[in-house]
Amino acid sequence: MNTDGKEKKALSAFLAAQRASVLAIVDGLDTQALTTSVLPSGWTPLGLIEHLAHAERHWFQEVVTGAAEPLDWPDDHAPLTTPRPSEVVFAFYDDQCRRSDAVIARTPLAAPPRGRHPGPLGDEVTDLRGIIMHMIEETARHAGHLDIVRELLDRRTGLGPR
């Protein structure tokens, strides 16, 4: 395996570990807990999972490849909440992660994005490598948010595998 392949494998492993942490943290929560906000900002655990799915879709499809298929639903609800059932949200997250992994597998780490993310972050992220690193950061940050919310919901801690 060449250096690019080893680095891609390492970055992919870190991203997969963060995704697994997110899912482990919310594992066992019922629908009421998944859709309950315990913070003043109003976001819900299920809404955050949907947000992460949208982030995967945006960065790896819209930005890396320059295109993503239209979604079947409007995105016209309060930020980081969702009107969709948990099965739909978890399936959406799983699908977007699989699509992201396929983009990563076929794209060189140094490949520049074909699409663009708006604002300063779009200027900072100049290749697939940077996008994977951003998604590791994004997923880990939100895993931490979910850790805190889980503790507030049912006092459970230390649920992520890392």
Side-chain angles (χ1 to χ4, degrees):
M1 185 181 294
N2 64 21
T3 304
D4 192 66
K6 287 180 184 178
E7 184 181 4
K8 188 185 284 190
K9 184 176 179 181
L11 290 170
S12 294
F14 274 92
L15 180 55
Q18 293 306 319
R19 291 170 178 160
S21 288
V22 162
L23 295 174
I25 293 162
V26 299
D27 186 48
L29 290 178
D30 62 18
T31 300
Q32 182 178 346
L34 285 168
T35 58
T36 296
S37 175
V38 295
L39 299 173
S41 58
W43 65 268
T44 66
L46 194 60
L48 192 59
I49 301 295
E50 185 174 287
H51 165 76
L52 286 169
H54 282 290
E56 293 271 351
R57 180 179 182 275
H58 170 70
W59 283 101
F60 291 107
Q61 294 172 56
E62 294 175 346
V63 176
V64 173
T65 70
E69 294 178 17
L71 293 174
D72 293 336
W73 60 69
D75 197 22
D76 58 358
H77 49 82
L80 302 176
T81 66
T82 182
R84 284 168 275 290
S86 58
E87 313 81 61
V88 171
V89 172
F90 284 110
F92 179 52
Y93 185 56
D94 180 64
D95 181 57
Q96 296 312 303
C97 290
R98 280 189 288 107
R99 289 173 186 247
S100 297
D101 290 343
V103 169
I104 292 167
R106 69 176 181 262
T107 308
L109 286 174
R114 293 182 179 169
R116 179 141 169 48
H117 179 79
L121 186 55
D123 295 332
E124 294 172 24
V125 179
T126 60
D127 57 17
L128 176 62
R129 177 183 290 104
I131 289 169
I132 298 171
M133 290 174 64
H134 170 70
M135 282 306 301
I136 292 168
E137 170 192 46
E138 173 98 356
T139 308
R141 179 179 188 212
H142 290 318
H145 294 137
L146 288 167
D147 273 332
I148 293 166
V149 165
R150 180 68 189 250
E151 185 173 355
L152 292 170
L153 284 166
D154 66 6
R155 301 194 187 283
R156 293 192 65 195
T157 62
L159 298 168
R162 286 178 90 69

